[in-house]
Amino acid sequence: MALPSSGDLRFPLGEFVPPHVITPRDVRAWIHDIAECPSRMRAAIAGLSEEQLDTPYRNGGWTVRQVVHHLPDSHMNGYIRTRMALTEENPVIKPYTEAAWAELEDARTMTVDVSLALLEALHHRWVRLLDCLPDPAFERTYVHPEMGRVPIGLQMALYSWHSRHHVAHITLLRGRRGW
């Protein structure tokens, strides 16, 4: 699948821009992107060697392996935030230092199969939850210390973009390298 590129290797799809208006149709499309993320990531890394998995997607960037491990790390946080917003009134969430997580030994060296399986299971569960929600539930919020109040609908836009963003890192690297 060809992905548009912004020309910036850090943000191949451009930086995330929060939508001004969120419709139920938008939310359903973003949930579809989230549902497709595990298979798109699996396709993006199919056939890569260990050496290729340990190649940074850009100078100074994470390796493909770190990107693969980052997705379930990030999306587990998103899943938990969703559940908190659905069960608590405006809970304050705890951010995490994703760059530090990516430097932990497991993210730098572990087989990607573990994180792919985790991503598949996590997204299956997350999408099942999201598909069961009535439209007004997507207006429930959590409080991010840096972003302020985040409605679940906006969170879906962010994780849709995030899913496509990291797949694009890998597919564009493959294209540049002829892999």
Side-chain angles (χ1 to χ4, degrees):
M1 170 173 101
L3 295 170
S5 174
S6 70
D8 180 345
L9 296 180
R10 285 182 331 141
F11 298 103
L13 305 180
E15 292 190 54
F16 175 70
V17 178
H20 295 292
V21 176
I22 296 174
T23 68
R25 184 176 180 166
D26 294 330
V27 171
R28 297 299 165 195
W30 296 327
I31 293 169
H32 176 76
D33 287 341
I34 292 166
E36 293 294 314
C37 175
S39 63
R40 288 179 180 161
M41 180 54 76
R42 192 172 285 282
I45 67 163
L48 292 181
S49 67
E50 291 298 309
E51 180 181 345
Q52 290 167 327
L53 289 170
D54 290 329
T55 302
Y57 74 89
R58 66 174 176 88
N59 287 338
W62 291 339
T63 66
V64 172
R65 183 182 311 276
Q66 287 171 302
V67 170
V68 173
H69 292 311
H70 165 69
L71 272 179
D73 286 348
S74 172
H75 293 200
M76 280 188 288
N77 277 281
Y79 172 72
I80 297 295
R81 292 169 184 175
T82 302
R83 295 184 75 81
M84 289 175 70
L86 290 170
T87 60
E88 301 174 30
E89 289 302 317
N90 299 310
V92 177
I93 60 95
K94 183 180 183 322
Y96 72 104
T97 308
E98 63 183 32
W101 285 34
E103 291 303 323
L104 293 172
E105 185 70 15
D106 64 328
R108 290 186 306 101
T109 62
M110 190 172 64
T111 178
V112 294
D113 293 338
V114 172
S115 281
L116 288 171
L118 178 56
L119 190 66
E120 288 167 349
L122 174 64
H123 278 232
H124 183 80
R125 179 99 186 259
W126 197 8
V127 169
R128 172 71 171 109
L129 170 65
L130 296 168
D131 281 345
C132 293
L133 296 177
D135 292 340
F138 292 97
E139 296 172 15
R140 293 193 56 91
T141 62
Y142 59 82
V143 179
H144 189 291
E146 296 160 3
M147 298 170 58
R149 259 187 204 191
V150 178
I152 295 173
L154 176 60
Q155 181 197 34
M156 295 304 95
L158 176 60
Y159 281 93
S160 164
W161 170 86
H162 189 254
S163 298
R164 293 177 293 108
H165 163 76
H166 284 302
V167 169
H169 280 146
I170 296 166
T171 57
L172 292 172
L173 171 65
R174 289 186 80 146
R176 290 191 311 274
R177 294 286 180 104
W179 296 343

